[in-house]
Amino acid sequence: MSGLTKVSMEDVSPSRRLGGGIRPLLSPTSVGATAGFLGTMSLDRGDFVAAHYHPFSEEFIFVAEGSVLLRIDEDELLLGTHEAAMVPKTRSHRIENASASPALLVFQMAPLAPTPEQGHVEVEPVPYPDAPPPSLRTR
């Protein structure tokens, strides 16, 4: 056995608490990651991920399909298919689907926060407060 682990999007139930569908794929619990984690984010027409920031991590966002409006503090970036941006740590950001088509994003966070609970601070009310937060588990 090689010790390598493969994770499929279908292996991970999406969290909808913050908006959209967030799936942490490669994480400390799923693959033993120690430096960061990687996931996907699906946004249907009109979907958004509520404004939040990461006190310890930078977030790297790549748009695989569709287009999104990335709001970082007072700045806005329109990201289309195959475009990417970085959100510096401590900067509030909100991600909105900017088109009539679904959007699929890949995101990576690094470095890890000391605990998962310290890694994310909400700035605006979340659209689905009763839904569980994104889990770093995949099984």
Side-chain angles (χ1 to χ4, degrees):
M1 181 171 199
S2 68
L4 300 177
T5 303
K6 175 173 73 171
V7 179
S8 168
M9 283 178 59
E10 288 75 29
D11 293 339
V12 181
S13 296
S15 169
R16 303 215 180 273
R17 182 175 183 280
L18 301 173
I22 299 172
R23 290 179 167 92
L25 301 177
L26 305 176
S27 69
T29 54
S30 67
V31 297
T34 60
F37 71 92
L38 179 132
T40 64
M41 190 180 313
S42 301
L43 296 169
D44 289 329
R45 180 180 180 178
D47 276 350
F48 65 93
V49 172
H52 62 282
Y53 69 91
H54 309 284
F56 298 93
S57 308
E58 296 172 332
E59 185 169 358
F60 304 89
I61 298 169
F62 173 76
V63 180
E65 298 173 4
S67 62
V68 297
L69 179 63
L70 174 61
R71 297 177 190 268
I72 303 175
D73 293 331
E74 304 302 318
D75 297 319
E76 294 183 352
L77 281 175
L78 184 61
L79 299 175
T81 301
H82 302 163
E83 294 183 325
M86 183 192 87
V87 179
K89 65 181 168 179
T90 74
R91 301 279 304 271
S92 173
H93 54 287
R94 185 180 208 268
I95 305 165
E96 305 169 14
N97 184 328
S99 71
S101 301
L104 176 64
L105 292 74
V106 177
F107 69 93
Q108 193 251 336
M109 307 272 297
L112 291 171
T115 67
E117 297 76 25
Q118 292 175 300
H120 177 94
V121 177
E122 293 163 4
V123 175
E124 74 174 308
V126 297
Y128 306 104
D130 295 329
S135 171
L136 295 182
R137 297 176 161 253
T138 61
R139 303 203 199 287

